[in-house]
Amino acid sequence: MIPPQEASARRREIEDKLKQEEETLSFIRDNLEKSDQLTKNMVSILSSFESRLMKLENSIIPVHKQTENLQRLQENVEKTLSCLDHVISYYHVASDTEKIIREGPTGRLEEYLGSMAKIQKAVEYFQDNSPDSPELNKVKLLFERGKESLESEFRSLMTRHSKVVSPVLILDLISGDDELEVQEEVVLEHLPESALQDVVRISHWLVEYGRNHDFMNVYYQIRSSQLDRSIKGLKEHFRKSSSSSGVPYSPAIPNKRKDTPTKKPVKRPGRDDMLDVETDAYIHCVSAFVKLAQSEYQLLTDIIPEHHQKKTFDSLIQDALDGLMLEGENIVSAARKAIIRHDFSTVLTVFPILRHLKQTKPEFDQVLQGTAASTKNKLPGLITSMETIGAKALEDFADNIKNDPDKEYNMPKDGTVHELTSNAILFLQQLLDFQETAGAMLASQVLGDTYNIPLDPRETSSSATSYNSEFSKRLLSTYICKVLGNLQLNLLSKSKVYEDPALSAIFLHNNYNYILKSLEKSELIQLVAVTQKTAERSYREHIEQQIQTYQRSWLKVTDYITEKNLPVFQSGVKLRDKERQMIKERFKGFNDGLEELCKIQKAWAVPDTEQRDRIRQIQKKIVKETYGAFLQRYNNVPFTKNPEKYVKYQVDQVGDMIDRLFDTSA
């Protein structure tokens, strides 16, 4: 049991705690009441604020919407004003640009094109928005006037700045292909850079905005004239150079002025200097056309729209190309006339020209790529014409050699080389410079059948002009052999004109020897040997035969004094009158025959020094030996009281007389 004192203390302790708890509870209750009051007050305030905000919002939103509408209205007004300004500006374009358009684009192309752009926009505006407006007609007329001024400026720029290319510059351009020397590239400036830029700008504008292609006709007409005049100027340069210097002009060597004539070339016998000039001029004009046309196309690509370039270029080159083709056909026509009058040296003009045309054809084809078929076919047509007339000339020449008449008045009195022989050899030698060309001419006419040459399939194709060099050589060799064969037959026929067989032999000897030496001095002998291996030996045999025939002319002299024809007599026995008379006749016959032959044959000719000396030596040896034996036999025989009357010549004197044969100056 708890003591009373402890229980009383415990109760007081509990009562104290209870009292404290009550005080805490009372404090919390007071605070809660205060908090509730504050909450109520806050709620009241917030409710009041919300109410005020709603009132404010209800007042501001209409104002905001009104302001927004006002701003939109202001923007619309500004846009409208801007549009009005823009529209009004179109109405001012005509007046603003009229002065510039009237004064033209010269010297201020960019400004002018800027004004044309404004006019074009005005035209588009009025067409879309006010097609019936008088302003549309104004700007349309102004636009057309401006376009015409641009076309006129294009023509003016092209006319003022398109210059004929000088012959010296063209020759520099042509010689730039010389592989023997490294040369600086020659560049043609057809238009100054500033003018070219203006021309390009105008052409692009006319195509894009002007919807007008007439300027392309203007372009090709002006450039065509310059191209044609440049080539004609080159041709005239050749003529002037020839007439002033008296020699044909050919391009100077590198690093030498092209307007300085080169050293005079060796003149070909039978050829006219002016003919060479014309040939050289034409060949160079062909090369000039290729180079200038290439340059023209490069210029054209900057100025003419791509899909019009080929057609414009085709038109541009026609005059110059037609001029070259016409001149080429004139050359063919002249060759045809020359064949009729048997002037075959003139026909040779075709050969270098044809060779050059065929060499240049790949460049021609490249330049003319994309042009009309009629344009591309012009050069092949000319080549065919030249090959045909060349083949005709070769055939007619061979026939002419065979059929040249034996005119007595035309025969050399001294038995020298006939003009027909020298002309024939000269013609053949000149063919050496054009072996491939001549071979092509023969092949183009399928002359293999004529000459019985088998055509190897590997050497020919469906084209008559397709052949290799070996076939060409055989074809040309056969032709040359045909000419030489015809010549030999004709010479044999001509030799019969001479009444003296000895002179006939000298004539044939001279001609055969001339032919052989001429063949040996050139490549002709190699060409002949392609189909006739024994030709050289055959000519030597012919020459020896004629020498032997000539020697027979001396038999009538030596027969008087040969031992078999001399009278037999015994030494120491007095000669009978008949024997003395016979000896006298022998001496007289020899003397008269020697004098007559020497007189006649001194006027004959053997142009070849080596052959002349050889014939003299052979004859001198025979006659001196025979005459020497004759003199020795009768030197001490008293067949006459006047030995000097019959022994007119000593052996050496006879030799001297023979040494003067074939020498009109002796």
Side-chain angles (χ1 to χ4, degrees):
M1 187 173 177
I2 299 172
Q5 293 86 0
E6 288 182 4
S8 179
R10 180 74 173 163
R11 187 183 308 126
R12 284 194 301 273
E13 183 180 351
I14 291 171
E15 290 176 351
D16 288 339
K17 285 185 179 180
L18 183 61
K19 186 178 181 180
Q20 288 177 353
E21 290 295 333
E22 288 177 348
E23 290 177 354
T24 302
L25 181 61
S26 177
F27 177 77
I28 292 172
R29 188 179 291 112
D30 291 340
N31 283 333
L32 284 173
E33 289 177 356
K34 290 180 180 178
S35 177
D36 287 341
Q37 186 63 40
L38 289 173
T39 300
K40 289 179 180 179
N41 292 338
M42 181 59 69
V43 169
S44 176
I45 292 169
L46 289 174
S47 296
S48 176
F49 184 69
E50 182 180 5
S51 175
R52 290 180 180 181
L53 280 177
M54 288 180 65
K55 289 179 180 180
L56 180 61
E57 184 177 352
N58 290 334
S59 300
I60 292 298
I61 286 176
V63 173
H64 175 72
K65 287 182 177 179
Q66 187 176 7
T67 303
E68 191 177 47
N69 290 335
L70 288 172
Q71 288 176 339
R72 190 177 296 112
L73 287 172
Q74 183 179 2
E75 289 175 0
N76 289 339
V77 169
E78 289 176 353
K79 288 181 179 178
T80 301
L81 290 172
S82 177
C83 287
L84 285 173
D85 288 340
H86 184 63
V87 170
I88 291 171
S89 69
Y90 288 131
Y91 285 86
H92 293 163
V93 164
S95 59
D96 291 344
T97 59
E98 185 175 9
K99 181 181 178 183
I100 295 174
I101 299 304
R102 185 175 64 251
E103 292 176 352
T106 304
R108 51 174 180 178
L109 181 60
E110 289 303 320
E111 181 185 3
Y112 193 88
L113 292 178
S115 296
M116 289 297 292
K118 292 178 183 179
I119 296 171
Q120 184 180 11
K121 288 180 181 178
V123 171
E124 292 171 355
Y125 170 79
F126 289 120
Q127 284 177 335
D128 293 339
N129 298 282
S130 184
D132 298 329
S133 170
E135 290 296 328
L136 176 59
N137 291 332
K138 286 184 181 179
V139 290
K140 269 188 172 181
L141 289 173
L142 199 58
F143 184 81
E144 289 302 318
R145 188 190 304 170
K147 185 169 68 172
E148 290 174 2
S149 293
L150 284 171
E151 292 172 355
S152 178
E153 179 69 4
F154 182 89
R155 179 188 293 273
S156 176
L157 286 170
M158 291 298 303
T159 303
R160 288 202 316 269
H161 297 288
S162 291
K163 305 296 182 185
V164 173
V165 183
S166 72
V168 174
L169 188 55
I170 293 176
L171 290 171
D172 281 332
L173 189 69
I174 295 172
S175 64
D177 289 337
D178 191 350
E179 297 178 356
L180 299 177
E181 296 286 342
V182 178
Q183 301 187 13
E184 295 182 3
E185 183 180 0
V186 180
V187 179
L188 292 180
E189 184 185 69
H190 292 293
L191 298 173
E193 186 61 29
S194 60
L196 177 60
Q197 290 177 0
D198 286 352
V199 167
V200 170
R201 290 282 286 116
I202 294 174
S203 69
H204 288 177
W205 188 93
L206 289 173
V207 171
E208 186 173 357
Y209 302 109
R211 305 291 188 271
N212 190 324
H213 295 161
D214 290 345
F215 76 94
M216 298 181 197
N217 295 332
V218 172
Y219 177 85
Y220 92 71
Q221 289 168 1
I222 293 174
R223 294 308 307 170
S224 174
S225 174
Q226 301 307 320
L227 175 61
D228 191 40
R229 289 168 60 194
S230 296
I231 293 174
K232 288 178 178 176
L234 177 63
K235 184 177 180 180
E236 188 62 26
H237 177 71
F238 272 79
R239 288 176 176 171
K240 288 182 178 178
S241 297
S242 173
S243 61
S244 62
S245 61
V247 296
Y249 177 85
S250 60
I253 58 173
N255 302 322
K256 182 175 181 180
R257 287 286 297 171
K258 297 294 185 295
D259 53 352
T260 304
T262 56
K263 181 180 178 181
K264 181 176 181 179
V266 177
K267 185 177 185 291
R268 297 174 182 175
R271 292 292 302 277
D272 190 310
D273 277 344
M274 285 309 299
L275 195 62
D276 287 328
V277 172
E278 294 296 326
T279 301
D280 289 344
Y282 186 73
I283 287 173
H284 283 83
C285 285
V286 169
S287 295
F289 172 81
V290 172
K291 292 299 181 183
L292 293 176
Q294 288 173 341
S295 183
E296 285 292 344
Y297 189 76
Q298 291 173 357
L299 176 66
L300 177 143
T301 55
D302 291 331
I303 299 172
I304 304 299
E306 184 175 358
H307 55 287
H308 290 281
Q309 289 173 2
K310 294 295 184 183
K311 183 178 179 182
T312 304
F313 180 70
D314 198 338
S315 300
L316 188 156
I317 62 173
Q318 284 303 315
D319 285 350
L321 181 58
D322 286 345
L324 285 177
M325 295 302 106
L326 177 60
E327 191 170 350
E329 290 298 340
N330 288 340
I331 291 170
V332 171
S333 179
R336 189 175 293 112
K337 293 176 182 177
I339 291 173
I340 294 174
R341 61 178 187 270
H342 296 163
D343 180 11
F344 295 100
S345 63
T346 300
V347 180
L348 285 170
T349 302
V350 172
F351 286 73
I353 292 174
L354 177 58
R355 179 176 65 182
H356 186 71
L357 289 179
K358 296 181 79 171
Q359 289 173 344
T360 313
K361 187 176 181 297
E363 287 186 274
F364 247 98
D365 292 342
Q366 186 177 6
V367 169
L368 301 183
Q369 187 177 5
T371 58
S374 58
T375 302
K376 293 177 183 176
N377 292 335
K378 287 180 179 179
L379 180 64
L382 178 59
I383 288 175
T384 300
S385 294
M386 287 196 169
E387 282 190 333
T388 302
I389 199 64
K392 170 70 172 170
L394 292 175
E395 279 302 286
D396 280 23
F397 177 77
D399 291 341
N400 183 65
I401 293 298
K402 181 179 180 180
N403 301 318
D404 185 71
D406 305 326
K407 296 178 180 177
E408 186 173 351
Y409 64 83
N410 196 36
M411 294 294 291
K413 303 299 182 185
D414 56 0
T416 189
V417 178
H418 197 279
E419 183 182 11
L420 181 69
T421 302
S422 58
N423 287 344
I425 294 299
L426 175 62
F427 186 86
L428 295 179
Q429 287 175 334
Q430 289 173 335
L431 284 185
L432 287 176
D433 294 334
F434 312 103
Q435 292 184 41
E436 291 295 327
T437 304
M441 288 177 176
L442 297 170
S444 70
Q445 302 302 307
V446 199
L447 294 180
D449 292 340
T450 303
Y451 296 136
N452 298 316
I453 293 181
L455 303 183
D456 191 318
R458 293 169 299 178
E459 295 173 335
T460 60
S461 69
S462 58
S463 170
T465 57
S466 297
Y467 61 94
N468 62 24
S469 59
E470 286 304 314
F471 176 67
S472 172
K473 273 189 176 181
R474 284 195 284 122
L475 202 55
L476 189 56
S477 173
T478 304
Y479 171 77
I480 291 172
C481 290
K482 176 183 177 181
V483 172
L484 293 175
N486 289 351
L487 177 60
Q488 188 171 336
L489 289 173
N490 200 318
L491 289 172
L492 280 170
S493 177
K494 289 182 185 302
S495 68
K496 295 174 183 177
V497 171
Y498 295 110
E499 295 179 359
D500 190 334
L503 181 55
S504 177
I506 288 295
F507 170 76
L508 289 175
H509 164 274
N510 285 334
N511 282 271
Y512 291 155
N513 183 67
Y514 179 84
I515 293 170
L516 177 60
K517 289 295 178 69
S518 298
L519 293 177
E520 290 176 333
K521 288 178 181 177
S522 64
E523 295 178 18
L524 282 173
I525 194 66
Q526 286 89 348
L527 264 179
V528 169
V530 171
T531 54
Q532 286 195 10
K533 305 291 185 184
T534 61
E536 186 174 358
R537 185 180 68 192
S538 177
Y539 272 111
R540 294 193 187 282
E541 290 174 354
H542 288 323
I543 292 169
E544 290 303 316
Q545 288 173 2
Q546 299 310 319
I547 291 176
Q548 292 172 13
T549 300
Y550 161 76
Q551 287 174 341
R552 286 198 286 272
S553 69
W554 281 85
L555 291 178
K556 62 183 179 181
V557 176
T558 57
D559 276 355
Y560 282 106
I561 59 175
T562 52
E563 187 173 352
K564 65 179 181 178
N565 294 326
L566 295 177
V568 179
F569 58 89
Q570 295 180 356
S571 178
V573 178
K574 184 177 180 181
L575 294 177
R576 292 175 296 179
D577 291 342
K578 183 178 180 181
E579 291 175 334
R580 287 197 297 272
Q581 185 60 33
M582 184 176 293
I583 294 172
K584 291 177 183 178
E585 289 176 355
R586 299 297 181 193
F587 269 105
K588 186 176 187 305
F590 173 78
N591 292 335
D592 291 347
L594 175 67
E595 291 169 355
E596 182 183 3
L597 275 187
C598 287
K599 180 181 179 181
I600 293 172
Q601 295 185 6
K602 183 177 71 172
W604 296 355
V606 179
D608 187 309
T609 304
E610 182 180 342
Q611 286 292 313
R612 184 169 64 240
D613 291 343
R614 179 167 171 263
I615 293 172
R616 286 171 175 171
Q617 291 302 321
I618 293 173
Q619 201 59 52
K620 186 166 63 172
K621 181 180 179 182
I622 294 172
V623 176
K624 284 179 69 175
E625 287 180 356
T626 306
Y627 184 60
F630 180 74
L631 280 183
Q632 187 175 3
R633 185 184 185 101
Y634 293 106
N635 194 35
N636 296 318
V637 175
F639 66 90
T640 180
K641 295 179 181 179
N642 302 307
E644 68 279 356
K645 179 179 177 181
Y646 298 98
V647 186
K648 294 174 66 174
Y649 304 104
Q650 296 301 315
V651 173
D652 288 341
Q653 287 178 301
V654 171
D656 291 341
M657 292 173 70
I658 295 175
D659 277 338
R660 290 193 290 272
L661 295 178
F662 319 119
D663 185 0
T664 56
S665 63

